[in-house]
Amino acid sequence: MKWGLIGASTIASEHVIGAIRAQGGEILSVLSSDPARGADYAARHGIGRATDDLSNLLGEAGLDAVYISTTNEKHHSQALAAIAAGKHVLCEKPLAMTLDEAAEMARAADAAGLVFATNHHLRNAGSHLAIRDLVAAGRIGRVLSARVFHAVHLPPHLQGWRINDAGAGGGVIPDITVHDADTIRFYLGEDPVEVVALAGASGMGAGVEDSVMSVWTMPSGAMVQSHESFTHPFAGSGVELHGTEGSIFGRGIMTQKPLGELDLVDAAGRHAVAFDRHDLYARSVALFVEAVAGRGRPAADGVDGVKSLAVALAVREAARTRRAVRVDYAGF
Ligand code: NDP
């Protein structure tokens, strides 16, 4: 499959270029708003061409798909342009700045008969797949509650627009809460109904929140507690799910790498749960490529991206107004 990269980003260089190539994909071109950085990026990653003109990239002969990993405010217009050019789209989260924009992206791809995927990497992890399977198999009975611990320390090389530029989509809610919303939806197969939240800015950045805690209700009656932060060097990440017949404890699993440990605790005791340690991004790209070939669906599609953004926006609104907010899924 022939790809174009929209965005000379860190995530592409650290994970997705390798994942595309691991699936036999060829990267024809990279788009950067800065010609010098684009040329340097292309040279460093063995990409044939760099351009600062999206129509040039979309006009590459034989181009099948694009991977969009620019800052968040650019995803909407770039995705719509790619869809209009008949290209399949793997787009980074959050899909867009607003729910309406995200819904427009998913609907446009659907109307054009193109594959549109959201790069929610966590649902591609062996650990999270194992949790989803344990829940589906009834190993913890009826799920009563879930806790997500996703307070990390933003590494210095990422302390740019994420912590100081609301206009580019900065803030821990669009950055991490979207992932946690997607992960909980993935485990439970249901969508949060209502949220309450408090958010704060510790001073790491400027103008956007760097920490948030929220509580969500689920249609089944389960309750979810979620904590995201950029400022916690030693907290470690994890998930707990508690049910009538057992509990699942995941530690160190809210990561980009196939790391961490899982335990199931039930009436018979504590059991370590083995899981597959494949590369998360390779699986995301592999399922996308299969979907383009007409086999199956991407790990997370456009509707998943709309819904994770919907939850995150509700959390932000709840934190702003200090009121409970019902999640609006834009008709999905
Ligand atoms: P980066 O800051 O690395 O890249 C975003 C944009 O910033 C690039 O498109 C580039 O613009 C510009 N840029 C990059 N490096 C520099 C530089 N040295 N100087 C000036 N500008 C620069 O962002 P990330 O890779 O961290 O995130 C990109 C997107 O991917 C976001 O939407 C984010 O939410 C998402 N993401 C998803 C992850 C996941 O696991 N699913 C993980 C990390 C990020 P240009 O292209 O114009 O050159």
Side-chain angles (χ1 to χ4, degrees), residues 126-143 186-188 239-250 253 261-266 271-275:
S127 53
H128 295 285
L129 288 158
I131 292 174
R132 193 263 326 254
D133 290 349
L134 289 169
V135 171
R139 294 292 297 277
I140 64 169
R142 182 166 58 84
V143 178
F186 178 64
Y187 296 152
L188 302 185
V239 166
E240 294 177 3
L241 283 95
H242 303 292
T244 52
E245 310 300 324
S247 288
I248 297 166
F249 296 86
I253 61 172
E261 308 301 329
L262 271 189
D263 285 311
L264 171 68
V265 178
D266 58 18
H271 324 275
V273 178
F275 57 85

Coordinates of all heavy atoms in Angstrom, one line a residue, residues 126-143 186-188 239-250 253 261-266 271-275:
G126 N -2.0 -6.2 23.5 CA -2.4 -7.5 24.0 C -3.1 -7.4 25.4 O -4.0 -8.1 25.7
S127 N -2.6 -6.5 26.3 CA -3.1 -6.4 27.6 C -4.6 -6.0 27.6 O -5.4 -6.5 28.2 CB -2.3 -5.4 28.4 OG -2.2 -4.1 27.7
H128 N -4.9 -5.0 26.8 CA -6.3 -4.4 26.7 C -7.2 -5.4 26.0 O -8.4 -5.6 26.3 CB -6.3 -3.1 26.1 CG -5.5 -2.0 26.9 ND1 -6.1 -1.5 28.0 CD2 -4.3 -1.5 26.8 CE1 -5.2 -0.7 28.6 NE2 -4.1 -0.7 27.8
L129 N -6.6 -6.1 25.0 CA -7.5 -7.2 24.3 C -7.8 -8.2 25.3 O -8.9 -8.8 25.4 CB -6.7 -7.7 23.1 CG -6.6 -6.8 21.9 CD1 -5.4 -7.2 21.0 CD2 -7.9 -6.8 21.1
A130 N -6.8 -8.6 26.2 CA -7.1 -9.6 27.2 C -8.1 -9.2 28.2 O -9.0 -10.0 28.6 CB -5.8 -10.0 27.9
I131 N -8.1 -7.9 28.6 CA -9.1 -7.4 29.5 C -10.5 -7.5 28.9 O -11.4 -8.0 29.5 CB -8.8 -6.0 30.0 CG1 -7.5 -6.0 30.8 CG2 -9.9 -5.4 30.7 CD1 -7.0 -4.6 31.2
R132 N -10.5 -7.0 27.6 CA -11.8 -7.1 26.9 C -12.4 -8.5 26.9 O -13.5 -8.8 27.1 CB -11.6 -6.5 25.5 CG -12.9 -6.2 24.8 CD -13.4 -7.2 23.8 NE -12.3 -8.0 23.1 CZ -12.0 -7.8 21.8 NH1 -12.6 -6.9 21.1 NH2 -11.1 -8.6 21.3
D133 N -11.5 -9.5 26.6 CA -11.9 -10.9 26.5 C -12.3 -11.4 27.9 O -13.3 -12.2 27.9 CB -10.8 -11.7 25.9 CG -10.5 -11.4 24.5 OD1 -11.3 -10.7 23.8 OD2 -9.5 -11.9 23.9
L134 N -11.6 -11.1 28.9 CA -12.0 -11.5 30.3 C -13.4 -11.0 30.6 O -14.2 -11.7 31.2 CB -11.0 -11.1 31.3 CG -9.6 -11.7 31.3 CD1 -8.7 -11.0 32.2 CD2 -9.7 -13.2 31.7
V135 N -13.6 -9.7 30.3 CA -15.0 -9.2 30.6 C -16.0 -9.9 29.8 O -17.1 -10.3 30.3 CB -15.0 -7.6 30.4 CG1 -16.4 -7.1 30.4 CG2 -14.0 -6.9 31.3
A136 N -15.8 -10.0 28.5 CA -16.8 -10.6 27.6 C -17.1 -12.1 28.0 O -18.2 -12.6 27.8 CB -16.3 -10.6 26.1
A137 N -16.0 -12.8 28.5 CA -16.2 -14.2 28.9 C -16.9 -14.3 30.3 O -17.1 -15.4 30.8 CB -14.9 -14.9 28.9
G138 N -17.2 -13.2 30.9 CA -17.9 -13.2 32.2 C -17.0 -13.5 33.4 O -17.5 -13.8 34.4
R139 N -15.7 -13.4 33.2 CA -14.8 -13.8 34.3 C -14.9 -13.0 35.5 O -14.5 -13.4 36.6 CB -13.4 -13.9 33.7 CG -13.1 -14.9 32.7 CD -13.2 -16.3 33.2 NE -12.2 -16.6 34.2 CZ -11.0 -17.0 34.0 NH1 -10.5 -17.2 32.7 NH2 -10.1 -17.3 35.0
I140 N -15.4 -11.7 35.4 CA -15.6 -10.9 36.6 C -17.1 -10.7 36.8 O -17.4 -9.8 37.7 CB -14.8 -9.6 36.5 CG1 -15.2 -8.7 35.4 CG2 -13.3 -9.9 36.4 CD1 -14.6 -7.2 35.5
G141 N -17.9 -11.4 36.1 CA -19.4 -11.2 36.4 C -19.9 -9.9 35.8 O -19.4 -9.4 34.8
R142 N -20.8 -9.3 36.5 CA -21.4 -8.0 36.1 C -20.4 -7.0 36.5 O -20.0 -6.9 37.7 CB -22.7 -7.8 36.8 CG -23.4 -6.5 36.4 CD -24.9 -6.5 36.8 NE -25.1 -6.7 38.2 CZ -25.0 -5.8 39.1 NH1 -24.8 -4.5 38.8 NH2 -25.2 -6.1 40.4
V143 N -20.0 -6.1 35.6 CA -19.0 -5.1 35.9 C -19.7 -4.0 36.8 O -20.7 -3.4 36.4 CB -18.4 -4.5 34.7 CG1 -17.4 -3.3 35.0 CG2 -17.7 -5.5 33.8
F186 N -14.2 0.2 24.7 CA -13.7 -1.1 24.1 C -13.9 -2.2 25.1 O -14.4 -3.3 24.7 CB -12.2 -0.9 23.8 CG -11.6 -2.1 23.2 CD1 -12.0 -2.6 22.0 CD2 -10.5 -2.7 23.9 CE1 -11.4 -3.7 21.4 CE2 -9.9 -3.8 23.4 CZ -10.3 -4.4 22.1
Y187 N -13.6 -2.1 26.4 CA -13.8 -3.1 27.3 C -15.3 -3.5 27.5 O -15.7 -4.7 27.6 CB -13.4 -2.7 28.7 CG -11.9 -2.4 29.0 CD1 -11.6 -1.5 30.0 CD2 -10.9 -3.0 28.3 CE1 -10.3 -1.2 30.3 CE2 -9.6 -2.7 28.6 CZ -9.3 -1.8 29.6 OH -8.0 -1.5 29.9
L188 N -16.1 -2.5 27.6 CA -17.5 -2.7 28.1 C -18.5 -2.7 27.0 O -19.6 -3.2 27.2 CB -17.9 -1.6 29.1 CG -16.9 -1.5 30.4 CD1 -17.5 -0.4 31.3 CD2 -16.8 -2.8 31.1
V239 N -5.2 0.1 35.2 CA -6.6 0.0 35.1 C -7.1 -1.0 36.1 O -6.4 -2.0 36.3 CB -7.0 -0.5 33.7 CG1 -8.4 -1.0 33.6 CG2 -6.8 0.6 32.6
E240 N -8.2 -0.8 36.7 CA -8.9 -1.8 37.5 C -10.3 -1.9 37.0 O -11.0 -0.9 36.8 CB -8.9 -1.4 39.0 CG -7.5 -1.4 39.6 CD -7.5 -1.0 41.1 OE1 -8.6 -0.8 41.6 OE2 -6.4 -0.8 41.6
L241 N -10.8 -3.2 36.9 CA -12.2 -3.4 36.7 C -12.7 -4.3 37.8 O -12.1 -5.3 38.1 CB -12.4 -4.1 35.3 CG -12.3 -3.1 34.1 CD1 -11.0 -3.2 33.5 CD2 -13.4 -3.5 33.1
H242 N -13.8 -3.9 38.4 CA -14.3 -4.7 39.5 C -15.7 -5.2 39.2 O -16.6 -4.4 38.7 CB -14.4 -3.8 40.8 CG -13.0 -3.3 41.1 ND1 -12.0 -4.1 41.5 CD2 -12.5 -2.0 41.0 CE1 -10.9 -3.3 41.7 NE2 -11.2 -2.1 41.4
G243 N -15.9 -6.5 39.3 CA -17.2 -7.1 39.0 C -17.8 -7.9 40.1 O -17.1 -8.1 41.2
T244 N -18.9 -8.5 40.0 CA -19.6 -9.3 41.0 C -18.8 -10.6 41.3 O -18.9 -11.2 42.3 CB -21.0 -9.6 40.6 OG1 -21.0 -10.2 39.3 CG2 -21.9 -8.3 40.6
E245 N -18.0 -11.1 40.3 CA -17.4 -12.4 40.4 C -15.9 -12.3 40.4 O -15.2 -13.3 40.6 CB -17.7 -13.3 39.3 CG -19.2 -13.5 39.0 CD -20.0 -14.0 40.2 OE1 -19.4 -14.8 40.9 OE2 -21.1 -13.5 40.5
G246 N -15.3 -11.1 40.3 CA -13.9 -10.9 40.2 C -13.4 -9.5 39.9 O -14.3 -8.6 39.6
S247 N -12.1 -9.3 40.0 CA -11.5 -8.0 39.7 C -10.3 -8.2 38.8 O -9.6 -9.2 38.9 CB -11.1 -7.3 40.9 OG -12.2 -6.8 41.7
I248 N -10.1 -7.3 37.9 CA -8.9 -7.3 37.0 C -8.1 -6.1 37.4 O -8.5 -5.0 37.6 CB -9.4 -7.2 35.5 CG1 -10.2 -8.3 35.1 CG2 -8.1 -7.0 34.6 CD1 -10.9 -8.1 33.8
F249 N -6.8 -6.4 37.6 CA -5.8 -5.4 37.9 C -4.8 -5.3 36.8 O -4.0 -6.3 36.6 CB -5.1 -5.7 39.3 CG -6.1 -5.7 40.4 CD1 -6.8 -6.8 40.8 CD2 -6.3 -4.5 41.2 CE1 -7.7 -6.8 41.8 CE2 -7.2 -4.5 42.2 CZ -7.9 -5.7 42.6
G250 N -4.7 -4.2 36.1 CA -3.7 -4.0 35.1 C -2.7 -2.9 35.5 O -3.2 -1.8 35.9
I253 N 0.1 -0.5 31.9 CA -0.5 -0.9 30.6 C -1.0 0.3 29.8 O -1.4 0.1 28.6 CB -1.5 -2.0 30.7 CG1 -2.7 -1.5 31.5 CG2 -1.0 -3.3 31.3 CD1 -3.9 -2.5 31.4
E261 N 1.6 -5.6 33.4 CA 1.2 -6.9 34.0 C -0.3 -6.9 34.2 O -0.9 -5.8 34.5 CB 1.9 -7.1 35.3 CG 3.4 -7.0 35.3 CD 4.1 -7.9 34.4 OE1 3.5 -9.0 34.2 OE2 5.1 -7.5 33.8
L262 N -0.9 -8.1 34.2 CA -2.4 -8.2 34.4 C -2.6 -9.3 35.4 O -2.0 -10.4 35.3 CB -3.1 -8.7 33.1 CG -3.6 -7.7 32.1 CD1 -4.5 -8.5 31.1 CD2 -4.4 -6.6 32.8
D263 N -3.5 -9.1 36.4 CA -3.9 -10.1 37.3 C -5.4 -10.2 37.4 O -6.1 -9.1 37.3 CB -3.4 -9.8 38.7 CG -2.0 -10.0 38.9 OD1 -1.5 -11.1 38.5 OD2 -1.3 -9.1 39.4
L264 N -5.9 -11.4 37.5 CA -7.4 -11.6 37.8 C -7.5 -12.1 39.2 O -6.8 -13.1 39.5 CB -7.9 -12.6 36.7 CG -9.4 -13.1 37.0 CD1 -10.4 -12.0 36.8 CD2 -9.7 -14.3 36.0
V265 N -8.4 -11.5 40.0 CA -8.6 -12.0 41.3 C -10.1 -12.4 41.4 O -11.0 -11.6 41.1 CB -8.3 -10.8 42.4 CG1 -8.6 -11.3 43.8 CG2 -6.9 -10.4 42.3
D266 N -10.3 -13.6 41.9 CA -11.6 -14.1 42.0 C -11.7 -15.0 43.3 O -10.7 -15.1 44.0 CB -12.2 -14.8 40.8 CG -11.3 -16.0 40.4 OD1 -10.5 -16.5 41.2 OD2 -11.4 -16.5 39.2
H271 N -4.7 -14.7 40.0 CA -4.1 -15.4 38.8 C -3.4 -14.4 37.9 O -4.1 -13.4 37.5 CB -5.1 -16.1 38.0 CG -6.3 -16.7 38.8 ND1 -6.2 -17.9 39.4 CD2 -7.5 -16.2 39.2 CE1 -7.3 -18.2 40.1 NE2 -8.1 -17.1 40.0
A272 N -2.1 -14.6 37.6 CA -1.5 -13.8 36.6 C -2.1 -14.1 35.2 O -2.3 -15.3 34.9 CB 0.0 -14.1 36.5
V273 N -2.4 -13.1 34.4 CA -3.0 -13.3 33.1 C -1.9 -13.0 32.0 O -1.4 -11.9 32.0 CB -4.2 -12.3 32.9 CG1 -4.8 -12.5 31.5 CG2 -5.3 -12.6 33.9
A274 N -1.6 -14.0 31.2 CA -0.6 -13.8 30.1 C -1.3 -13.1 29.0 O -2.5 -13.2 28.7 CB -0.1 -15.2 29.7
F275 N -0.5 -12.3 28.3 CA -1.1 -11.6 27.1 C 0.0 -11.5 26.0 O 1.2 -11.5 26.3 CB -1.8 -10.3 27.4 CG -0.9 -9.3 28.1 CD1 -0.1 -8.4 27.4 CD2 -0.9 -9.2 29.5 CE1 0.7 -7.5 28.0 CE2 -0.1 -8.3 30.2 CZ 0.7 -7.4 29.4

